[in-house]
Amino acid sequence: SSDLHEIEAYKIKSSGQSFQVGPLTYYWADLGSEGNSFEISPSGQAILTIRMLAENSGSSDNVAMMCTGPAVCNYDVWNGEKAFKYSGMDFTNGQIVLKSGESAIFNMLFGPNIGYGGTQFIYDSSKDYVFRISEPYGSASIPLNLG
């Protein structure tokens, strides 16, 4: 329901950092907050889950966030050398469209390679990882502090 969304959105906004990307403001509440975690599975696979809020705070037009498949997605994780593509996400039909004043919460999982141009998520403690947004309307690199 929209009430539940408003409560979740408020939680993320009040505990998170904001990142301005063109007309959208992205909020991230850091690892350890609900929906955000990093672990190494018993088999050695690094698994990162990211839950983020995006809000159309700056445009009277609809703004589309695009992610149609691992190979064609404006969101990834970068460690300064390599881009890691998602293993799972909840962009319905490859995009989330936000009307003016609207917000949406989205989830992305980085882990095993699911194919379709994907990658396996690999953790190297000597590198710094960022969640990268590269939309036509703007970009940001959000520090993940996995170490």
Side-chain angles (χ1 to χ4, degrees):
S1 85
S2 68
D3 287 350
L4 187 61
H5 171 78
E6 290 306 319
I7 292 166
E8 284 300 303
Y10 175 78
K11 277 191 209 165
I12 295 171
K13 280 167 110 168
S14 57
S15 63
Q17 281 181 281
S18 66
F19 300 85
Q20 197 65 41
V21 180
L24 298 191
T25 308
Y26 292 79
Y27 295 88
W28 189 59
D30 221 341
L31 284 178
S33 63
E34 192 177 339
N36 293 286
S37 65
F38 172 65
E39 64 178 7
I40 309 287
S41 76
S43 68
Q45 173 62 61
I47 298 172
L48 171 67
T49 57
I50 291 175
R51 181 175 170 84
M52 201 167 282
L53 174 74
E55 183 175 60
N56 181 351
S57 52
S59 177
S60 54
D61 296 326
N62 292 356
V63 179
M65 301 160 52
M66 298 296 296
C67 186
T68 55
V72 184
C73 183
N74 294 339
Y75 301 82
D76 63 17
V77 170
W78 170 252
N79 71 1
E81 282 179 13
K82 186 168 171 45
F84 298 97
K85 307 300 184 182
Y86 73 81
S87 305
M89 57 84 177
D90 55 10
F91 278 62
T92 313
N93 302 324
Q95 62 176 358
I96 296 171
V97 178
L98 294 176
K99 296 179 180 145
S100 181
E102 252 186 7
S103 68
I105 295 167
F106 64 94
N107 299 278
M108 292 194 126
L109 167 74
F110 297 85
N113 183 353
I114 58 163
Y116 311 103
T119 54
Q120 178 183 9
F121 184 57
I122 296 162
Y123 177 64
D124 175 343
S125 60
S126 71
K127 295 188 171 28
D128 290 325
Y129 290 75
V130 295
F131 181 75
R132 213 163 46 161
I133 300 166
S134 313
E135 289 283 8
Y137 48 78
S139 58
S141 292
I142 300 176
L144 294 172
N145 307 315
L146 300 183

